Amino acid sequence: MNPFYQRAHFLTAAARVDQCPADEGREVAFAGRSNAGKSSAINALCHQNALARTSKTPGRTQQLIFFQLDETRRLVDLPGYGYAKVPDSVKRDWQQHMAAYLEQRSSLGGLVVVMDIRHPLAEFDRQMLHWGGRADLPMLVLLTKADKLKTGAARATQHAVEQAVSNMAGQVEVMLFSALKRQGVESVQRLLDRWLRLDDAIPPAGPSDNRTDD
Ligand SMILES: Nc1nc2c(ncn2[C@@H]2O[C@H](COP(=O)(O)OP(=O)(O)O)[C@@H](O)[C@H]2O)c(=O)[nH]1
Ligand SMILES: [Mg+2]
């Protein structure tokens, strides 16, 4: 258990970018198509069952949900949309808001794009990675529901996605994750620590002045 992420709690929801909390401190945003497993991933990372509501019905929420970690740090659950049947007006509205948020938000320290490992790099995901790259954000592709594949197949998908994103602009990492099995939780937390600038504040477990890998 990581007590820092465990203290996450709901802060506010914003229907529009100008309703977001003050652009201060540091935050990390999570994006993903509905049903990709985004809420489950946020819950697993924060060791909570119902922080971000999970649902078997692909979502309707079009809000940015802010979770407070401490005085200056936040996680943000970005709105996604379903597989098909989204009216063009909704898509356009969403695109305007996401582009504006990713480009303008100075407290944004990184972007996590959550993908169902069985359906990675959909149009939605590529769009997010494109905007994240344009905004010069460090990014993480989180291949979740890894428990649905055998280890070899999961690793093969990870490599294929790594190949694909290496051709895109920006710094993108790719990790395997399972909310169900708690796979990848600590690796993601370590990355978020960096993006949230926690690594300076929290001393490592061992001696900090003479770290070598021996
Ligand atoms: N097997 C498995 N199922 C998952 C995992 N993460 C999410 N799910 C399931 O996928 C569905 C959608 O998850 P949810 O977190 O609500 O997706 P969201 O719409 O992206 O927030 C739910 O039925 C979850 O139980 C996982 O790691 N493994
Ligand atoms: Mg959700």
Side-chain angles (χ1 to χ4, degrees):
M1 289 278 188
N2 183 321
F4 181 74
Y5 293 98
Q6 201 178 3
R7 47 183 160 165
H9 58 273
F10 174 81
L11 175 65
T12 189
R16 296 177 352 193
V17 174
D18 57 16
Q19 294 169 352
C20 291
D23 192 4
E24 297 163 355
R26 206 77 176 151
E27 67 196 27
V28 169
F30 288 74
R33 289 198 293 170
S34 42
N35 223 37
K38 182 162 52 98
S39 297
S40 304
I42 293 173
N43 287 342
L45 290 167
C46 296
H47 311 290
Q48 298 189 31
N49 293 326
L51 178 66
R53 258 178 254 127
T54 63
S55 152
K56 288 194 195 265
T57 324
R60 309 173 201 112
T61 334
Q62 288 299 320
Q63 293 179 316
L64 295 87
I65 315 284
F66 289 82
F67 302 105
Q68 185 98 50
L69 293 167
D70 68 8
E71 285 295 299
T72 60
R73 296 179 177 90
R74 300 169 297 273
L75 299 182
V76 191
D77 188 351
L78 299 178
Y81 50 72
Y83 294 103
K85 306 269 188 313
V86 180
D88 279 352
S89 60
V90 173
K91 268 198 192 183
R92 269 199 304 277
D93 194 52
W94 176 87
Q95 287 178 333
Q96 275 174 7
H97 276 92
M98 285 307 101
Y101 168 79
L102 294 172
E103 278 168 19
Q104 292 164 19
R105 192 80 173 159
S106 8
S107 53
L108 188 57
L111 174 67
V112 181
V113 185
V114 178
M115 305 177 198
D116 185 324
I117 193 165
R118 298 164 300 174
H119 316 284
L121 293 174
E123 183 200 342
F124 173 103
D125 305 319
R126 293 174 183 275
Q127 177 81 83
M128 294 305 301
L129 294 170
H130 174 72
W131 283 328
R134 217 168 52 180
D136 214 17
L137 290 168
M139 289 178 279
L140 170 64
V141 170
L142 197 63
L143 297 174
T144 193
K145 310 193 194 182
D147 57 276
K148 296 273 194 186
L149 297 184
K150 296 206 166 102
T151 308
R155 292 234 183 283
T157 303
Q158 182 183 16
H159 291 317
V161 171
E162 275 166 355
Q163 280 295 314
V165 298
S166 69
N167 298 322
M168 300 176 188
Q171 340 153 30
V172 190
E173 281 195 52
V174 181
M175 289 186 192
L176 299 177
F177 194 85
S178 165
L180 192 70
K181 304 281 187 197
R182 307 274 188 265
Q183 177 188 353
V185 167
E186 288 178 10
S187 305
V188 178
Q189 286 171 341
R190 276 197 295 275
L191 185 64
L192 297 190
D193 285 353
R194 291 217 307 273
W195 289 355
L196 293 166
R197 301 208 175 118
L198 274 162
D199 42 355
D200 298 335
I202 295 177
S208 59
D209 52 344
N210 193 19
R211 265 180 294 163
T212 50
D213 283 335
D214 56 5

